[in-house]
Amino acid sequence: MASAAAIVLLGISGGSVEASSPSFALKMAMYAVATATHDQPAHVVNAADVSNAFDTFSSLKTDQFSLVFNLGGVLEFPRLVDLISSITYKSTCIDFPDKIGARPTIAPCPLQAIGMFNVEGNALIIGRNAIAIAASHGKAVSGADVVAADVGPHLRMEPVPTFAAGQGGVVKFVTKEQINQTPISLSLCLEFPQTAYGISRLVAC
């Protein structure tokens, strides 16, 4: 007898998902939508729904994929999810509409989204390091701490931050990335707290 999970998944692949689109990505996406719409009350698909759907399908070993970034993982693409195949090493993105029960769409990942994800990670590393360096001296982060903390990723800051400790501020990072042999220019902003031991966060520039 088939397991309950297998019955559920077979039901989805035979119903909501077209036979012409039997991909792991689409099946997982529709499972996340089903989870969100069957909840009480129903809600727009969120990151927890996607993580649950991904883990459910991964446990059945229906395909070999890794979750690169979830909903909200890239500031400028908040409704996008990126999966990468461990067999082909190709990314597949899922766009989840911001509407209850709406059907997600599968498409090649925008180069801008992949680049932003990479740069966001580097900027957050710089932010955490800067705050930790300042906190080790008993003070809040300053612009000079941010500049000093950029010892690895080496992202250009425009302009160079000069805010004082306890003042807080927004730092704009700019860089050029090579994504799939295509050069793209990227910029993002990181807001720093006024308090020591605070947390920096990505914000719109």
Side-chain angles (χ1 to χ4, degrees), residues 70-146:
N70 204 335
L71 293 176
V74 178
L75 186 66
E76 294 187 7
F77 298 86
R79 302 301 300 169
L80 202 66
V81 169
D82 180 15
L83 302 174
I84 189 168
S85 169
S86 60
I87 298 173
T88 65
Y89 300 103
K90 292 183 178 179
S91 283
T92 299
C93 276
I94 311 168
D95 185 15
F96 287 88
D98 192 13
K99 183 178 179 181
I100 294 175
R103 185 181 179 86
T105 56
I106 309 298
C109 294
L111 297 183
Q112 195 80 7
I114 297 173
M116 286 297 292
F117 178 72
N118 294 337
V119 175
E120 283 181 0
N122 290 337
L124 289 169
I125 289 172
I126 294 171
R128 286 191 292 268
N129 289 345
I131 292 169
I133 290 170
S136 70
H137 297 291
K139 63 184 183 71
V141 67
S142 69
D145 294 321
V146 179

Side-chain angles (χ1 to χ4, degrees), residues 5-205:
I7 292 172
V8 170
L9 299 184
L10 287 172
I12 290 177
S13 63
S16 300
V17 178
E18 295 123 2
S20 60
S21 302
S23 69
F24 174 90
L26 187 54
K27 289 178 182 178
M28 188 215 71
M30 294 305 298
Y31 190 92
V33 172
T35 298
T37 54
H38 282 79
D39 197 10
Q40 296 295 328
H43 60 266
V44 173
V45 175
N46 58 35
D49 299 323
V50 173
S51 292
N52 175 68
F54 178 80
D55 290 342
T56 299
F57 276 80
S58 294
S59 68
L60 295 176
K61 300 188 183 303
T62 56
D63 213 326
Q64 299 297 317
F65 276 83
S66 295
L67 181 60
V68 179
F69 59 77
N70 204 335
L71 293 176
V74 178
L75 186 66
E76 294 187 7
F77 298 86
R79 302 301 300 169
L80 202 66
V81 169
D82 180 15
L83 302 174
I84 189 168
S85 169
S86 60
I87 298 173
T88 65
Y89 300 103
K90 292 183 178 179
S91 283
T92 299
C93 276
I94 311 168
D95 185 15
F96 287 88
D98 192 13
K99 183 178 179 181
I100 294 175
R103 185 181 179 86
T105 56
I106 309 298
C109 294
L111 297 183
Q112 195 80 7
I114 297 173
M116 286 297 292
F117 178 72
N118 294 337
V119 175
E120 283 181 0
N122 290 337
L124 289 169
I125 289 172
I126 294 171
R128 286 191 292 268
N129 289 345
I131 292 169
I133 290 170
S136 70
H137 297 291
K139 63 184 183 71
V141 67
S142 69
D145 294 321
V146 179
V147 174
D150 185 13
V151 296
H154 297 302
L155 299 178
R156 192 166 80 254
M157 303 174 203
E158 293 185 350
V160 175
T162 58
F163 60 87
Q167 189 176 35
V170 175
V171 177
K172 182 177 182 180
F173 296 93
V174 296
T175 185
K176 289 185 178 180
E177 297 286 310
Q178 192 86 5
I179 306 297
N180 294 343
Q181 299 183 335
T182 301
I184 57 174
S185 298
L186 301 166
S187 62
L188 61 87
C189 288
L190 198 62
E191 183 178 51
F192 287 86
Q194 297 178 344
T195 57
Y197 298 94
I199 299 174
S200 59
R201 64 187 186 92
L202 294 164
V203 295
C205 290

